Amino acid sequence: MVGDKPSSPFWAPNRHIDRRPFLQARGAITAAVRAFFAEQGFVEVETSVLQVSPGNETHLHAPRTGIMRPDGSRVTRYLRTSPEFACKKLLAAGEPRIFELARVFRDRERGDLHLPEFTMLEWYRAGAPYDTIMADCIVVIAHAAQATGIGQFSFRGRTADPFAEPELLTVAHAFEQFAGIDLLSTISGDEGDRDALAAVAGTMVRVTEDDTWSDIFSKILVEHVEPHLGLGRLTILFEYPSPEAALARAKVDDPRVAERFEVYACGVELANGFGELTDAEEQRRRFQLSMAEKQRRYGEAYPLDEDFLAAVGQMPEASGVALGFDRLVMLASGALRVDQVVWTPPQGEI
């Protein structure tokens, strides 16, 4: 219960901060989110935390563990970075609308907006285009604000009205507007021309010899685009370039971009969604490329989840999104850091 403030180390760091209002807000937002999904006919699921593969993205890192079998042998498992693989297996099994408030884990992440263990709100709609999921995001964020009664979000001097009509902005337009770069001219099919992007970005960001197209893209996005997103109102940044498609399908009429979007408020990324890829061989190819790059950079790679790849080939057309629930609570409660809105912040840190 949220009662007298304990002196337990679970309240560290920032023990001088009274978390009770933030935790009460968290409870109200959780109830509002569950009510929205119930009204929409979703089923709440609980999927496995221990996975054969935690995800196959180059720059995501997962804690590794092991299971001892009854015969004494051990097998490697990972703490998931997302419930995505498990949820898509459920879509392939016939579940049409599912959501999960999932505990997920990331190594190498800690800061005002990052925790090594956090809550991700993830949901999927079978048979729905990804603009339906975009609309869901706006409603969920507004419900969170209504639950706490906050009039506007604020973070580091930036503000956003969660009830205003959101800004819709393609990635290509954002790069042109905020960085003066014709991004699509550096893409052919689903391949990025590294040298072409480096040539136009060299005066804006530091480019090193071993930077890939994706590295340069990310530097421009973080340094020159994201600071302008979600100011005054929410921004939906969509049509990500195909080299950054991840688990999204390519746009039918322009393979240089994918059906991927992100939602921003006050310069903070809140959600990352896809029109889901259902081509298992293409997904395998992308994963193999990502794991080869991960091995080159970090000296490690995660196995592929063959059951997941089989499920991708059996999935219906679907769309889904992952929303950082702690970040949403932070903005909707007026907290300054995500560790102020979780019941037990990481121990042994300042």
Side-chain angles (χ1 to χ4, degrees):
M1 295 178 60
V2 178
D4 293 337
K5 180 179 176 181
S7 58
S8 132
F10 290 130
W11 286 80
N14 300 326
R15 269 176 279 191
H16 63 286
I17 298 292
D18 183 358
R19 287 191 176 80
R20 286 173 294 187
F22 304 142
L23 296 174
Q24 289 165 348
R26 187 184 187 98
I29 294 168
T30 301
V33 164
R34 285 194 163 116
F36 166 74
F37 285 114
E39 291 168 0
Q40 293 288 310
F42 281 73
V43 172
E44 183 171 5
V45 299
E46 290 183 284
T47 60
S48 174
V49 170
L50 290 176
Q51 297 288 319
V52 170
S53 174
N56 296 109
E57 295 186 45
T58 301
H59 301 293
L60 288 187
H61 303 272
R64 182 193 302 250
T65 186
I67 295 175
M68 182 173 287
R69 292 171 169 154
D71 64 4
S73 62
R74 293 188 66 84
V75 293
T76 297
R77 291 292 182 267
Y78 300 87
L79 301 184
R80 64 186 177 181
T81 59
S82 162
E84 182 168 7
F85 285 10
C87 285
K88 288 183 176 177
K89 291 173 186 178
L90 295 178
L91 289 176
E95 294 292 342
R97 295 183 182 184
I98 55 176
F99 81 98
E100 181 171 7
L101 282 160
R103 297 299 288 176
V104 298
F105 306 84
R106 305 274 174 93
D107 273 351
R108 308 190 187 206
E109 295 196 7
R110 185 66 174 97
D112 290 355
L113 293 172
H114 297 88
L115 293 172
E117 177 182 358
F118 60 99
T119 299
M120 182 176 287
L121 171 61
E122 197 152 321
W123 71 94
Y124 295 85
R125 288 181 181 265
Y130 85 135
D131 56 359
T132 301
I133 294 289
M134 290 182 193
D136 282 346
C137 286
I138 301 309
V139 174
V140 166
I141 292 168
H143 277 16
Q146 288 173 337
T148 64
I150 201 165
Q152 68 176 11
F153 294 160
S154 62
F155 184 72
R156 295 178 179 172
R158 301 170 178 144
T159 61
D161 181 349
F163 305 108
E165 183 177 350
E167 174 187 33
L168 298 175
L169 190 62
T170 67
V171 175
H173 186 192
F175 269 62
E176 178 65 37
Q177 181 175 346
F178 302 122
I181 290 175
D182 181 357
L183 186 66
L184 297 187
S185 69
T186 71
I187 303 171
S188 177
D190 63 355
E191 298 290 333
D193 184 331
R194 184 264 181 207
D195 292 339
L197 186 55
V200 295
T203 60
M204 305 192 65
V205 296
R206 182 174 177 269
V207 177
T208 63
E209 289 185 2
D210 65 344
D211 277 341
T212 64
W213 185 97
S214 290
D215 293 329
I216 302 169
F217 167 84
S218 295
K219 289 178 180 181
I220 301 167
L221 179 69
V222 170
E223 296 180 28
H224 294 280
V225 176
E226 286 186 336
H228 299 280
L229 304 181
L231 305 185
R233 54 179 174 161
L234 304 178
T235 297
I236 299 178
L237 189 68
F238 68 107
E239 291 187 2
Y240 265 67
S242 54
E244 297 295 306
L247 288 84
R249 59 181 171 245
K251 191 176 178 185
V252 173
D253 59 353
D254 189 350
R256 296 176 300 173
V257 297
E259 292 188 0
R260 178 182 174 185
F261 71 91
E262 293 191 340
V263 181
Y264 288 83
C266 306
V268 175
E269 178 201 335
L270 284 179
N272 180 21
F274 305 141
E276 304 294 349
L277 181 65
T278 55
D279 182 334
E281 288 309 308
E282 172 60 16
Q283 189 66 80
R284 180 185 297 277
R285 184 189 72 84
R286 293 183 190 177
F287 281 172
Q288 288 172 337
L289 290 172
S290 292
M291 290 303 92
E293 181 64 10
K294 190 181 196 76
Q295 184 67 47
R296 183 184 75 84
R297 287 176 174 269
Y298 302 109
E300 66 171 350
Y302 300 140
L304 304 188
D305 183 339
E306 293 295 341
D307 287 345
F308 168 72
L309 289 169
V312 167
Q314 299 172 34
M315 274 175 53
E317 294 292 313
S319 296
V321 67
L323 184 147
F325 190 70
D326 303 317
R327 292 184 181 185
L328 177 60
V329 174
M330 180 192 74
L331 292 176
S333 67
L336 302 177
R337 302 164 52 97
V338 289
D339 59 18
Q340 294 173 350
V341 304
V342 298
W343 282 93
T344 56
Q347 292 181 253
E349 300 184 24
I350 59 173

